[in-house]
Amino acid sequence: MASIADYYAGKNVLITGATGFMGKVLVEKLLRSCPEVRALYILVRPKAGQSMQERVSDMIKCKLFDRVREDSPDFHQKIIPISSELIQPGLAISPGDQERLTSCVHIIFHCAATIRFDEPLKHALQLNVIATQQLLSLAQKMPHLQAFIHISTAYANCNRRHIDEVIYPPPVEPRKLIDSLEWMDDSIVREITPRLIGDRPNTYTYTKALAECVVQKESGKLSIGIIRPSIVGASWKEPFPGWIDNFNGPSGVFIAAGKGILRTMRANNDAVADLIPVDVVINLTLAAGWYTAVHRPKAALVYNCTTGGINPFHWGEIEHHVMSSFKRNPLEQAFRRPNANITSNYLINQYWILVSHRFPALIYDLYLRLSGQKPQMMQIFNRLHKAIGLLEYFSSRDWEWNSENMTMLMGHLSPEDRKTFNFDVRQLCWPEYIENYCIGTKKYVLNEDMSDIPAARQHLRKLRNIRYTFNTLSLVFIWRVFIARSQMARNIWYFVVSLCFKFLSFVRASSTLAN
Ligand SMILES: CCCCC/C=C\C/C=C\CCCCCCCC(=O)SCCNC(=O)CCNC(=O)[C@H](O)C(C)(C)COP(=O)(O)OP(=O)(O)OC[C@H]1O[C@@H](n2cnc3c(N)ncnc32)[C@H](O)[C@@H]1OP(=O)(O)O
Ligand SMILES: NC(=O)C1=CN([C@@H]2O[C@H](COP(=O)(O)OP(=O)(O)OC[C@H]3O[C@@H](n4cnc5c(N)ncnc54)[C@H](OP(=O)(O)O)[C@@H]3O)[C@@H](O)[C@H]2O)C=CC1
């Protein structure tokens, strides 16, 4: 049987979401490990004043592509951008481009989605469900198509505790929901959203569940694979350890903790932190593309791409390793020394939010005001609280995912492919992974230089001295207030002072005698 790289040789691949976190890693890995692939057609929209071409040029300049650039400097010639806005009818692909794609594409990887937890339902439905539907109908017109790989999420069915590799019945018939939301204005949709999403925490997981159902129902004769990654984190090994380029999921939490801003968060110490490195997800995705095309399974195969059942690690352990990593490799200009604690207790968390978040923010904003600058800390904390509030659902619970298809797929790979497209997470050493993850947030998200670490350490020492001074002054102040108001405090104070005085006299007398 052909190896994975042999299979992709000469193939035209269509990718949505190629400008996103996972899409870029997919493009890089395909070009590097399957160098004979014919072309990668990527659906891209213009954004933030940049044309499609400008965005793609920026993307290929990214450090992520350094390794493939070294191997084959002309790699970009294989990337063919196609202008597309996925929430428009027909995905806004021009008739010429549609014809080109339908005539040549062999495999589709559908990564695009809105992953925001606070996305209004209508928009999440348009992108995550309707665009998937439209892509499937485009796929139906492709005579050479061999596999359609849909990227879902392990949390699509997070309202269940045990999640098998099956497509569960949808919370609502997607067609009916699409039809009803079409005529409703945004305010009505906002009002009924909590009732619709029911026991799911957000519109993201809800619409991803609907999308899976659409893939199952509207795939016709296509060969389908559905990948369900859990919490996708920095890369484990490829193209280099610790690659990460965004604040999503735990990355923003790690950074906020490393900067000394986040000091408390609600999470269950003993719950499994189902992180999965991005390169593992991409290796599995490419292997699933190969398997789907070669074996043509009759029904869609679902791959729960998770670590919890195979190599579990817990939020409490993550907290410990993140903190010690940021102490060894501090971030620049930290607000306070990194010292975050997680707790599952609501009241304890609220107490620490008051003492360790709001109070320092208030003092710092006061200092900014007095020095003629614009206060900003309270605003930063309000945004942070909103973000961690949306993540708490995932850090406070445990799920059990069955990942038999991942094991089955590994069993079908040749020893060589198992190395090149490694997704065996049993080999993952968590402390080392977390260390590289934290360094990755410093280097690639915050663009900080590793050579500045001594200065960052010096800054942490300065913060420690400020804290000691502040604590001492506060103690003296509180004590003075007590002494002024209470006879008992005064008596204790005189007692302690006279005791110290006696002790000093004793030490002096004994040293005189000794001489
Ligand atoms: C140290 C102890 C650690 C212990 C660990 C404990 C817990 C771990 C925490 C989390 C684990 C749970 C993760 C669950 C993931 C589930 C898996 C999935 O299915 S994947 C999808 C994941 N999706 C997300 O993570 C998206 C979440 N984000 C959002 O929904 C939104 O971004 C938002 C948080 C609601 C914020 O929206 P807002 O409009 O206010 O801001 P923007 O998004 O426009 O961003 C503005 C600005 O802020 C930066 N940003 C975004 N998020 C964060 C963050 N979390 N921390 C810091 N900064 C953040 C963003 O990049 C923008 O910057 P800029 O203006 O410079 O571009
Ligand atoms: N990150 C994670 O932790 C997890 C992610 N997943 C799934 O993986 C997939 C990829 O996620 P990730 O890479 O993290 O997400 P990103 O947000 O990084 O990327 C999303 C991609 O979708 C594209 N996109 C969004 N809206 C449109 C639109 N209207 N038209 C065209 N393209 C659009 C974006 O393009 P643009 O650059 O133009 O915005 C971007 O390329 C998603 O399906 C997600 O559900 C699953 C589990 C966990």
Side-chain angles (χ1 to χ4, degrees):
M1 193 184 294
S3 73
I4 298 183
D6 285 346
Y7 168 73
Y8 284 103
K11 297 289 189 305
N12 293 309
V13 181
L14 174 65
I15 302 172
T16 71
T19 50
F21 171 48
M22 286 173 41
K24 279 192 290 226
V25 178
L26 174 66
V27 168
E28 194 275 343
K29 176 71 180 175
L30 247 177
L31 291 169
R32 184 164 47 83
S33 296
C34 307
E36 299 302 319
V37 65
R38 188 179 306 156
L40 309 188
Y41 291 89
I42 61 172
L43 300 191
V44 186
R45 56 178 173 168
K47 191 177 165 186
Q50 276 195 305
S51 69
M52 173 189 79
Q53 285 296 352
E54 286 167 337
R55 294 193 67 203
V56 177
S57 316
D58 276 2
M59 173 180 132
I60 57 188
K61 277 186 216 141
C62 165
K63 182 165 172 55
L64 174 73
F65 292 91
D66 280 0
R67 258 183 87 181
V68 65
R69 204 183 339 270
E70 219 170 85
D71 295 351
S72 62
D74 292 334
F75 76 95
H76 58 276
Q77 287 175 358
K78 289 196 175 168
I79 301 177
I80 305 173
I82 301 284
S83 177
S84 170
E85 167 54 80
L86 296 179
I87 55 170
Q88 293 296 324
L91 308 174
I93 303 178
S94 74
D97 282 340
Q98 272 199 37
E99 223 176 282
R100 191 173 174 196
L101 293 175
T102 46
S103 66
C104 76
V105 168
H106 299 105
I107 306 144
I108 297 179
F109 292 104
H110 178 36
C111 298
T114 167
I115 63 166
R116 294 182 68 97
F117 290 155
D118 61 344
E119 195 71 78
L121 181 58
K122 234 181 185 173
H123 187 255
L125 193 74
Q126 265 169 342
L127 188 53
N128 295 353
V129 185
I130 302 175
T132 304
Q133 212 167 33
Q134 295 203 64
L135 190 67
L136 281 163
S137 60
L138 180 66
Q140 305 280 8
K141 296 181 195 144
M142 298 177 171
H144 307 296
L145 194 75
Q146 298 176 358
F148 183 106
I149 305 297
H150 171 74
I151 311 294
S152 181
T153 161
Y155 297 99
N157 302 290
C158 58
N159 53 333
R160 296 170 179 267
R161 222 194 139 247
H162 180 89
I163 299 162
D164 280 319
E165 291 172 305
V166 297
I167 300 172
Y168 289 101
V172 57
E173 184 56 46
R175 189 70 259 161
K176 280 190 189 154
L177 184 69
I178 294 166
D179 291 344
S180 0
L181 293 198
E182 209 165 30
W183 61 265
M184 288 186 201
D185 73 27
D186 292 349
S187 62
I188 304 180
V189 178
R190 208 176 313 124
E191 230 164 85
I192 63 168
T193 297
R195 303 262 307 267
L196 283 170
I197 65 174
D199 52 4
R200 282 186 178 73
N202 50 46
T203 55
Y204 169 66
T205 50
Y206 179 73
T207 52
K208 289 299 269 189
L210 296 182
E212 283 192 1
C213 168
V214 160
V215 171
Q216 186 184 40
K217 282 206 164 148
E218 307 199 10
S219 54
K221 289 203 168 82
L222 302 176
S223 299
I224 302 283
I226 296 181
I227 315 293
R228 284 190 190 145
S230 44
I231 303 171
V232 183
S235 62
W236 173 21
K237 290 182 181 163
E238 288 185 278
F240 38 79
W243 166 257
I244 179 80
D245 69 354
N246 62 71
F247 286 96
N248 292 329
S251 310
V253 175
F254 292 177
I255 292 172
K259 286 275 181 192
I261 297 175
L262 182 121
R263 315 283 289 191
T264 181
M265 176 174 178
R266 261 185 97 195
N268 182 350
N269 273 295
D270 303 321
V272 169
D274 212 300
L275 253 63
I276 184 108
V278 62
D279 45 343
V280 169
V281 181
I282 295 309
N283 287 343
L284 175 83
T285 302
L286 287 170
W290 160 82
Y291 183 84
T292 310
V294 172
H295 291 270
R296 305 267 171 140
K298 289 208 168 51
L301 267 191
V302 178
Y303 301 86
N304 283 344
C305 182
T306 59
T307 51
I310 306 166
N311 182 359
F313 204 57
H314 304 87
W315 287 117
E317 295 170 285
I318 298 250
E319 178 215 84
H320 170 75
H321 289 285
V322 168
M323 286 304 100
S324 61
S325 174
F326 279 127
K327 277 175 189 151
R328 279 191 299 280
N329 312 292
L331 300 180
E332 287 169 21
Q333 291 303 316
F335 176 59
R336 293 179 70 193
R337 282 172 67 80
N339 184 15
N341 285 295
I342 57 177
T343 169
S344 46
N345 186 301
Y346 173 80
L347 286 178
I348 294 179
N349 186 50
Q350 286 303 313
Y351 170 78
W352 285 117
I353 283 185
L354 197 70
V355 172
S356 288
H357 287 182
R358 296 204 188 280
F359 182 60
L362 200 77
I363 299 209
Y364 192 70
D365 276 354
L366 192 71
Y367 158 77
L368 289 178
R369 256 181 229 279
L370 292 175
S371 56
Q373 299 169 70
K374 199 168 160 248
Q376 53 171 15
M377 221 50 215
M378 225 17 148
Q379 207 186 341
I380 291 178
F381 273 106
N382 287 339
R383 277 172 60 186
L384 179 71
H385 291 151
K386 178 185 169 193
I388 56 176
L390 293 169
L391 298 177
E392 270 170 12
Y393 176 91
F394 301 93
S395 54
S396 309
R397 291 172 172 73
D398 249 340
W399 285 267
E400 272 168 24
W401 284 279
N402 174 348
S403 53
E404 273 167 21
N405 285 341
M406 200 160 146
T407 317
M408 174 282 291
L409 184 57
M410 211 176 322
H412 278 83
L413 302 193
S414 68
E416 202 46 47
D417 278 346
R418 245 178 259 174
K419 269 193 228 146
T420 316
F421 299 91
N422 181 14
F423 51 88
D424 185 355
V425 290
R426 283 171 305 185
Q427 304 160 6
L428 183 72
C429 166
W430 284 107
E432 188 189 341
Y433 173 69
I434 296 294
E435 173 101 4
N436 288 329
Y437 194 156
C438 292
I439 294 176
T441 60
K442 179 175 173 67
K443 287 200 319 204
Y444 312 121
V445 182
L446 301 174
N447 290 317
E448 294 184 6
D449 210 320
M450 292 301 279
S451 62
D452 291 340
I453 283 188
R457 287 204 186 112
Q458 176 65 29
H459 179 71
L460 290 192
R461 278 195 288 274
K462 194 175 101 188
L463 289 176
R464 187 196 50 199
N465 293 341
I466 292 177
R467 202 189 76 199
Y468 285 163
T469 314
F470 180 82
N471 286 354
T472 313
L473 289 178
S474 307
L475 249 162
V476 169
F477 174 76
I478 292 169
W479 190 237
R480 283 302 308 156
V481 171
F482 256 118
I483 284 188
R485 283 160 195 250
S486 146
Q487 181 60 47
M488 192 172 10
R490 262 197 304 272
N491 291 345
I492 296 173
W493 179 241
Y494 292 138
F495 176 71
V496 171
V497 170
S498 66
L499 212 66
C500 289
F501 185 71
K502 279 180 188 153
F503 179 72
L504 279 176
S505 316
F506 170 76
V507 170
R508 201 179 302 149
S510 44
S511 65
T512 318
L513 275 178
N515 290 334

